[in-house]
Amino acid sequence: MSAIDEEVFSKVQSALVDALGVDDDEVTPEATMVGDLGAESIDFLDIVFKLEKAFSIKIPREELFPEDILTNANYIKDGKVAEAGLAELKKRMPWADLTKFENNPRVQDFGDLLTVGDLCRYVQSKL
Amino acid sequence: MRWFWIDRFDEFVRNEHAVTIKNVTFGEEPLDDYMMGHPHYPHSLVIEGMAQTGGLLVAEPSGFKKRVVLAKIGKAIFHRQALPGDQLRLQANIQDVQDSGAVVAGSVTINGELMADLELWFAFLDDRFGQGSLFPPAEFLRVLRVLRLYDVAVDSSGNRIAPPEEFLAAERAEFATG
């Protein structure tokens, strides 16, 4: 995983503090967006909007949320992401740390995968 | 119970902005009950008025097929109170529209003085929340007419906007059956 640029982190942190009403110190690179910071689906719209403005980038929904992979029967087996699906996820999300998820890739756990660090690395990949 | 916290539209430009007017009167129930001895219009209802203004602005381009609900209040900063006799001017500007929602920046003024700064997030309900419109079309159109939406609504080129054809058909059907 690439290192996180301090300036990127600081802008992402301020977007998350603003959008989620959390404190600065809660927004650590390891914090998960849903589990730790309490982000709900509408918050992701808000966060994407704020990041697009802060970094002057466009964030297509499917880049952050690969729902097409997670709902594709070729990639899913018994509620888990199969080998081919994991390969596709890694290709689509090279900025995300999927190590833990790979151990038990249940589709239902994917929603709480994204961390603040992942988000920073994603933004960096767009700059 | 009626739940309209705007009186009428003053401006409406599709996909851009809308302005509504809300007159505050001592005769309104919320003023009496809200704070005894100091009647003023509750800030929460100012937010609701902006949600109605912005929600209609966001839903109109789809012919009100998008089912728009207020999902999040991103910002609500109030600079003064609204008192009986005041006229609120609520301006909603669309900031961004995505597949699953939209954000509106709202400002409320009284006689040119800033009363509130708002940011409201709207979500578009998908099939998980059932299908069909949130309001009966003929009744909904009646409300839009009362609010004078179609008296002022234009598209970005300045052409007048008419109600969706199915709303007009529902209205005609209602007249026909009396």
Side-chain angles (χ1 to χ4, degrees):
Chain A
M1 292 285 111
S2 56
I4 297 169
D5 182 89
E6 248 176 70
E7 198 187 328
V8 168
F9 178 77
S10 148
K11 281 188 184 176
V12 169
Q13 186 182 42
S14 116
L16 295 177
V17 166
D18 199 11
L20 301 174
V22 291
D23 291 332
D24 282 9
D25 57 5
E26 290 179 77
V27 185
T28 61
E30 301 75 33
T32 58
M33 300 291 298
V34 174
D36 294 334
L37 300 183
E40 296 181 23
S41 56
I42 190 72
D43 295 318
F44 281 103
L45 278 185
D46 190 353
I47 292 162
V48 163
F49 176 67
K50 286 184 166 59
L51 294 179
E52 286 186 337
K53 271 212 303 199
F55 293 100
S56 302
I57 53 174
K58 275 315 267 181
I59 303 180
R61 184 179 165 82
E62 64 277 10
E63 286 187 10
L64 274 186
F65 308 100
E67 281 154 9
D68 52 322
I69 297 176
L70 298 173
T71 53
N72 185 328
N74 295 327
Y75 295 141
I76 307 298
K77 203 175 168 216
D78 302 328
K80 290 190 179 187
V81 183
E83 207 53 46
L86 282 171
E88 201 56 33
L89 284 175
K90 281 187 198 164
K91 205 158 77 185
R92 176 85 65 86
M93 312 169 79
W95 39 267
D97 185 357
L98 299 175
T99 337
K100 240 202 271 174
F101 180 70
E102 275 181 291
N103 293 334
N104 189 15
R106 295 195 306 173
V107 174
Q108 66 187 84
D109 296 337
F110 193 86
D112 192 28
L113 186 75
L114 199 68
T115 63
V116 174
D118 292 337
L119 203 56
C120 292
R121 280 186 293 271
Y122 167 73
V123 167
Q124 277 168 219
S125 75
K126 308 279 289 179
L127 297 177
Chain B
M1 181 188 169
R2 295 173 75 252
W3 191 253
F4 303 121
W5 300 106
I6 48 179
D7 292 330
R8 67 155 199 246
F9 277 86
D10 214 27
E11 293 175 31
F12 188 102
V13 181
R14 178 180 280 169
N15 286 323
E16 289 180 14
H17 78 274
V19 176
T20 54
I21 299 298
K22 160 70 191 165
N23 288 304
V24 177
T25 79
F26 192 21
E28 288 177 285
E29 230 176 300
L31 272 78
D32 250 359
D33 297 343
Y34 191 44
M35 199 178 285
M36 294 290 277
H38 181 63
H40 63 281
Y41 186 62
H43 290 169
S44 50
L45 293 181
V46 176
I47 296 174
E48 176 60 29
M50 186 61 79
Q52 295 179 353
T53 307
L56 291 170
L57 176 67
V58 165
E60 190 280 333
S62 68
F64 298 101
K65 286 199 168 60
K66 273 187 183 157
R67 300 177 303 162
V68 177
V69 294
L70 177 64
K72 174 170 162 175
I73 300 162
K75 180 171 79 172
I77 300 171
F78 290 90
H79 302 282
R80 57 161 285 184
Q81 292 180 341
L83 304 172
D86 283 339
Q87 183 177 72
L88 275 55
R89 185 176 186 276
L90 299 92
Q91 172 144 2
N93 294 318
I94 292 186
Q95 301 293 291
D96 191 31
V97 181
Q98 298 173 23
D99 289 345
S100 50
V103 58
V104 159
S107 64
V108 183
T109 53
I110 298 170
N111 272 338
E113 187 189 340
L114 187 63
M115 189 249 173
D117 269 321
L118 304 168
E119 180 191 88
L120 303 184
W121 285 88
F122 297 94
F124 304 147
L125 298 184
D126 59 28
D127 293 346
R128 285 175 300 166
F129 300 93
Q131 287 176 329
S133 56
L134 293 175
F135 311 102
E139 191 183 314
F140 189 37
L141 180 55
R142 198 154 51 237
V143 170
L144 297 179
R145 289 198 194 285
V146 170
L147 293 174
R148 298 202 222 166
L149 175 73
Y150 293 107
D151 292 14
V152 296
V154 292
D155 64 18
S156 53
S157 312
N159 301 313
R160 291 286 296 273
I161 291 172
E165 191 45 50
E166 57 270 34
F167 282 19
L168 292 169
E171 188 179 54
R172 282 193 297 271
E174 199 173 71
F175 280 136
T177 56

